């Protein structure tokens, strides 16, 4: 894993949008953005008059099922992460106030980059949440330059290359959005969370996304992870509410938030995997920005 650049399997776009009117969103608004994005992507790609994907004769060649399929709530990992910034305290975003959204494509999904980036711009322009407040796209940056169309003209996407840093001895790990993991059917809490839990979730997610060969033996990595422990852990639980358009109801999605320090000296080989966790997100709701891990070398 450490031998190949992460940029070869991930492609990210950083967007800055601004609402045309004041709008109030949930603290973590990934569900609202994902719903609007999914509708816009289907409008952009579907040549069958937006018929259901199930039974469609083109489902084997269409790009849309790989991103959403028949059931957008299904927990099979999707090859993208839509991660909006947390909304300000109180949830209000004022008209004209910049709001950041990162869209990351994983593995082979990068071939659809022009479509998904355009769909996100279209989704924002059509409006978010029940108020359908339009968001204008102010700017976008990506690993490779492309041009997107918008209601106010074309938007040039600038190059923004990045390289993963070398392994630090100590790292501060912050759970920036709620992390929801299950261990043998039981929810992992802040008191029971270990570095090995995060590594295991990362390995599983990477394998399901096709980033790790199915036959690769990962037992040594798991053994190394058991040597690690938190220092000065400050984890808690945050309950959030999101609206499911498919079920037309509000749903609870709680998870662990907080931070801890991690001494990597016993297992420096694991650094690329924790780095990957910070890029992939882990746990339930990863495709809409939950389970975001921030790493800060100390």
């Amino acid at each position: 894993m450490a031998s190949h650049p992460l940029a070869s399997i991930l492609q990210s776009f950083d967007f800055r949008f601004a609402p045309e009117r004041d709008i109030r969103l949930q603290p973590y608004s990934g569900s609202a953005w994902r719903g609007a994005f999914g509708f816009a992507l289907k409008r952009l790609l579907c040549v069958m008059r937006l018929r259901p994907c199930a039974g469609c004769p083109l489902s084997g060649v269409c790009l849309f099922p790989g991103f959403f399929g028949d059931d957008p709530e299904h927990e099979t990992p999707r090859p993208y992460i839509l991660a909006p910034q947390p909304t300000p305290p109180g949830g209000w975003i004022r008209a004209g106030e910049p709001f950041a959204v990162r869209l990351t494509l994983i593995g082979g999904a990068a071939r659809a980059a022009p479509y998904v980036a355009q769909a996100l711009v279209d989704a924002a322009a059509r409006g978010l949440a029940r108020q359908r407040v339009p968001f204008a796209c102010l700017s976008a940056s990506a690993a490779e330059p492309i041009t997107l169309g918008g209601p106010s003209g074309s938007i040039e996407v600038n190059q923004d290359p990045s390289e993963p840093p070398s392994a630090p001895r100590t790292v501060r790990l912050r759970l920036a959005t709620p992390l929801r993991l299950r261990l043998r059917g039981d929810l992992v809490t802040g008191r029971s969370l270990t570095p090995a839990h995060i590594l295991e979730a990362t390995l599983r997610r990477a394998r399901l996304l096709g980033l790790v060969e199915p036959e690769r033996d990962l037992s040594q990595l798991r053994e190394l992870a058991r040597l690690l422990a938190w220092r000065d852990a400050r984890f808690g639980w945050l309950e959030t509410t999101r609206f499911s358009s498919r079920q037309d109801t509000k749903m609870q999605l709680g998870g662990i938030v907080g931070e801890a320090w991690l001494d990597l000296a016993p297992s420096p080989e694991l650094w690329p995997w924790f780095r990957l966790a910070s890029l992939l997100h882990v746990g339930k709701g990863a495709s809409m920005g939950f389970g975001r891990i921030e790493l800060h070398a100390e």
Side-chain angles (χ1 to χ4, degrees):
M1 182 67 192
S3 61
H4 66 75
L6 294 173
S8 67
I9 58 174
L10 300 171
Q11 183 174 3
S12 292
F13 301 84
D14 288 310
F15 293 86
R16 289 172 67 250
F17 295 102
E20 294 184 5
R21 306 190 303 273
D22 291 358
I23 182 174
R24 190 177 188 181
L25 295 175
Q26 294 293 330
Y28 305 106
S29 58
S31 179
W33 283 93
R34 186 181 68 168
F37 167 63
F39 183 72
L41 184 63
K42 185 153 188 174
R43 283 179 56 90
L44 186 64
L45 295 175
C46 185
V47 297
M48 301 296 287
R49 299 183 180 180
L50 302 180
R51 64 172 287 174
C53 295
C56 177
L58 299 180
S59 61
V61 294
C62 181
L63 293 172
F64 182 80
F67 282 81
F68 284 89
D70 299 325
D71 182 2
E73 303 291 342
H74 192 53
E75 278 308 302
T76 299
R78 302 301 185 187
Y80 70 92
I81 303 162
L82 195 54
Q85 71 174 70
T87 55
W92 284 101
I93 307 171
R94 303 302 177 184
E97 181 181 341
F99 187 82
V101 179
R102 168 165 284 192
L103 173 64
T104 299
L105 302 179
I106 304 167
R111 74 183 191 278
Y115 299 101
V116 296
Q118 184 65 61
L120 186 58
V121 172
D122 293 347
R126 289 178 64 86
L128 256 67
R130 290 186 172 182
Q131 307 98 305
R132 288 289 180 262
V133 175
F135 280 67
C137 186
L138 304 178
S139 65
S141 62
E144 296 180 3
I146 62 173
T147 300
L148 306 177
S152 58
S154 295
I155 304 159
E156 188 65 22
V157 181
N158 303 313
Q159 281 193 317
D160 182 22
S162 62
E163 294 294 333
S166 58
R169 179 181 178 86
T170 305
V171 63
R172 180 166 62 91
L173 183 146
R174 177 173 176 262
L175 303 180
T177 59
L179 169 66
R180 188 180 183 92
L181 296 176
R182 286 191 177 274
L183 179 64
R184 292 186 289 275
D186 295 327
L187 279 175
V188 178
T189 67
R191 289 187 176 184
S192 60
L193 181 69
T194 67
H197 288 145
I198 291 180
L199 178 79
E200 182 61 38
T202 305
L203 296 178
R204 181 176 183 274
R205 182 159 163 76
R207 178 160 276 171
L208 290 173
L209 286 167
L211 305 181
V212 176
E213 303 85 351
E215 65 278 3
R216 180 169 178 180
D217 184 5
L218 302 175
S219 58
Q220 183 179 6
L221 293 174
R222 294 185 174 98
E223 291 176 6
L224 289 172
R226 295 189 187 101
L227 302 176
L228 300 179
W230 303 123
R231 177 167 54 85
D232 297 330
R234 304 166 188 170
F235 293 130
W237 187 268
L238 178 65
E239 201 68 33
T240 66
T241 303
R242 70 182 186 87
F243 183 79
S244 170
S245 57
R246 185 180 71 88
Q247 300 183 30
D248 193 29
T249 186
K250 290 183 178 181
M251 302 179 67
Q252 296 298 114
L253 184 62
I256 307 167
V257 293
E259 65 181 17
W261 278 255
L262 181 62
D263 183 4
L264 286 170
S267 305
E269 303 92 335
L270 296 180
W271 169 244
W273 295 96
F274 282 102
R275 171 67 174 160
L276 184 60
S278 73
L279 298 173
L280 286 182
H281 296 221
V282 294
K284 185 178 178 65
S287 66
M288 54 184 173
F290 285 82
R292 186 174 86 238
I293 296 173
E294 296 178 355
L295 303 172
H296 304 276
E298 296 292 329

Coordinates of all heavy atoms in Angstrom, one line a residue, residues 8-11 13 63 66-67 78-81 103-117 209 211:
S8 N -3.3 8.0 -7.2 CA -3.7 7.1 -8.3 C -5.0 6.5 -8.1 O -5.5 5.9 -9.1 CB -2.6 6.1 -8.5 OG -2.6 5.2 -7.4
I9 N -5.6 6.5 -6.9 CA -6.9 5.8 -6.7 C -7.9 6.8 -6.2 O -9.1 6.5 -6.1 CB -6.7 4.7 -5.6 CG1 -6.2 5.3 -4.3 CG2 -5.9 3.6 -6.2 CD1 -6.2 4.2 -3.2
L10 N -7.6 8.1 -6.0 CA -8.5 9.1 -5.5 C -8.4 10.3 -6.4 O -7.3 10.8 -6.7 CB -8.3 9.4 -4.0 CG -8.4 8.3 -3.0 CD1 -7.9 8.8 -1.7 CD2 -9.8 7.8 -2.9
Q11 N -9.5 10.9 -6.7 CA -9.6 12.2 -7.4 C -10.6 13.1 -6.7 O -11.7 12.7 -6.6 CB -9.9 12.0 -8.8 CG -9.9 13.4 -9.6 CD -10.1 13.2 -11.1 OE1 -10.4 12.1 -11.6 NE2 -10.0 14.3 -11.8
F13 N -12.4 17.0 -5.9 CA -12.7 18.3 -6.3 C -13.2 19.1 -5.1 O -14.0 18.6 -4.3 CB -13.9 18.2 -7.3 CG -13.6 17.4 -8.6 CD1 -13.8 16.0 -8.5 CD2 -13.2 17.9 -9.7 CE1 -13.5 15.2 -9.6 CE2 -12.9 17.2 -10.8 CZ -13.1 15.8 -10.8
L63 N -23.5 4.6 -16.0 CA -22.7 5.0 -14.9 C -23.5 5.1 -13.6 O -22.9 5.0 -12.5 CB -21.9 6.3 -15.2 CG -20.9 6.2 -16.3 CD1 -20.4 7.6 -16.6 CD2 -19.7 5.3 -15.9
G66 N -23.7 2.5 -10.5 CA -22.5 2.3 -9.7 C -22.4 3.4 -8.6 O -21.8 3.2 -7.6
F67 N -23.1 4.5 -8.8 CA -23.1 5.6 -7.8 C -24.2 5.5 -6.8 O -24.1 5.9 -5.6 CB -23.1 7.0 -8.5 CG -21.7 7.3 -9.1 CD1 -21.3 6.8 -10.3 CD2 -20.9 8.2 -8.4 CE1 -20.1 7.2 -10.8 CE2 -19.6 8.5 -8.9 CZ -19.2 8.0 -10.1
R78 N -20.2 3.1 -1.9 CA -20.3 3.8 -3.2 C -18.9 4.4 -3.5 O -18.2 4.8 -2.6 CB -21.3 4.9 -3.1 CG -22.7 4.3 -2.7 CD -23.2 3.3 -3.7 NE -24.6 2.9 -3.4 CZ -25.2 1.9 -4.0 NH1 -24.6 1.2 -4.9 NH2 -26.5 1.6 -3.7
P79 N -18.6 4.5 -4.8 CA -17.2 5.0 -5.2 C -17.1 6.5 -5.1 O -16.4 7.0 -6.0 CB -17.1 4.4 -6.6 CG -18.5 4.5 -7.1 CD -19.4 4.1 -6.0
Y80 N -17.7 7.1 -4.2 CA -17.5 8.6 -4.1 C -17.8 9.0 -2.6 O -18.4 8.2 -1.8 CB -18.5 9.3 -5.0 CG -20.0 9.2 -4.5 CD1 -20.5 10.1 -3.7 CD2 -20.8 8.1 -4.9 CE1 -21.8 10.0 -3.2 CE2 -22.1 8.0 -4.5 CZ -22.6 8.9 -3.6 OH -23.9 8.8 -3.2
I81 N -17.3 10.2 -2.3 CA -17.5 10.8 -1.0 C -17.9 12.2 -1.2 O -17.2 13.0 -1.9 CB -16.3 10.7 -0.1 CG1 -15.8 9.3 0.1 CG2 -16.6 11.4 1.3 CD1 -14.3 9.2 0.6
L103 N -15.8 16.7 -3.2 CA -16.3 15.5 -3.9 C -15.1 14.7 -4.3 O -14.2 15.1 -5.0 CB -17.1 15.9 -5.1 CG -17.5 14.7 -6.1 CD1 -18.5 13.8 -5.4 CD2 -18.1 15.3 -7.3
T104 N -15.0 13.5 -3.7 CA -13.9 12.6 -4.0 C -14.4 11.3 -4.8 O -15.4 10.7 -4.4 CB -13.2 12.1 -2.7 OG1 -12.7 13.3 -2.0 CG2 -12.1 11.2 -3.0
L105 N -13.7 11.0 -5.8 CA -14.1 9.8 -6.6 C -13.0 8.7 -6.3 O -11.8 9.1 -6.2 CB -14.1 10.1 -8.1 CG -15.1 11.2 -8.5 CD1 -15.0 11.5 -10.0 CD2 -16.5 10.8 -8.1
I106 N -13.4 7.5 -6.2 CA -12.6 6.4 -5.8 C -12.4 5.4 -6.9 O -13.4 5.0 -7.5 CB -13.1 5.7 -4.6 CG1 -13.4 6.8 -3.5 CG2 -12.2 4.6 -4.1 CD1 -14.2 6.2 -2.3
G107 N -11.2 5.0 -7.2 CA -10.9 4.0 -8.2 C -11.4 4.3 -9.6 O -11.2 5.4 -10.1
G108 N -12.1 3.3 -10.2 CA -12.5 3.5 -11.6 C -13.6 4.6 -11.7 O -13.9 5.0 -12.9
A109 N -14.2 5.1 -10.6 CA -15.2 6.1 -10.8 C -14.6 7.4 -11.3 O -15.4 8.3 -11.8 CB -15.8 6.4 -9.4
A110 N -13.3 7.5 -11.3 CA -12.7 8.8 -11.8 C -13.0 9.0 -13.2 O -12.9 10.2 -13.7 CB -11.2 8.7 -11.5
R111 N -13.3 7.9 -14.0 CA -13.5 8.1 -15.4 C -14.8 8.9 -15.6 O -15.1 9.5 -16.7 CB -13.6 6.8 -16.1 CG -14.9 6.0 -15.8 CD -14.8 4.6 -16.5 NE -16.1 3.9 -16.5 CZ -16.6 3.2 -15.5 NH1 -15.9 3.1 -14.4 NH2 -17.8 2.6 -15.6
A112 N -15.7 9.0 -14.6 CA -16.9 9.7 -14.7 C -16.8 11.1 -14.1 O -17.8 11.8 -14.0 CB -18.0 9.0 -13.9
A113 N -15.6 11.6 -13.9 CA -15.4 12.9 -13.2 C -16.1 14.0 -13.9 O -16.8 14.8 -13.2 CB -13.9 13.2 -13.2
P114 N -16.1 14.2 -15.2 CA -16.8 15.3 -15.8 C -18.3 15.3 -15.5 O -18.9 16.3 -15.3 CB -16.5 15.2 -17.3 CG -15.2 14.4 -17.4 CD -15.3 13.4 -16.2
Y115 N -18.9 14.1 -15.5 CA -20.3 14.0 -15.3 C -20.7 14.3 -13.8 O -21.6 15.0 -13.6 CB -20.8 12.6 -15.7 CG -20.6 12.2 -17.1 CD1 -19.5 11.4 -17.5 CD2 -21.4 12.7 -18.1 CE1 -19.3 11.1 -18.8 CE2 -21.2 12.3 -19.4 CZ -20.1 11.5 -19.8 OH -19.9 11.2 -21.1
V116 N -20.0 13.7 -12.9 CA -20.3 13.9 -11.5 C -20.0 15.3 -11.0 O -20.8 15.8 -10.2 CB -19.6 12.8 -10.6 CG1 -20.1 11.4 -10.9 CG2 -18.1 12.9 -10.7
A117 N -19.0 15.9 -11.5 CA -18.7 17.3 -11.1 C -19.8 18.2 -11.7 O -20.2 19.1 -11.0 CB -17.3 17.7 -11.6
L209 N -14.2 -1.6 -1.8 CA -14.1 -0.7 -2.9 C -13.1 -1.1 -4.0 O -12.9 -0.4 -5.0 CB -13.7 0.7 -2.4 CG -14.7 1.5 -1.6 CD1 -14.1 2.6 -0.9 CD2 -15.8 2.0 -2.6
L211 N -9.9 -1.6 -3.7 CA -8.5 -1.0 -3.6 C -7.5 -1.9 -3.0 O -6.3 -1.6 -3.0 CB -8.6 0.3 -2.7 CG -9.6 1.4 -3.1 CD1 -9.5 2.5 -2.1 CD2 -9.4 1.8 -4.5

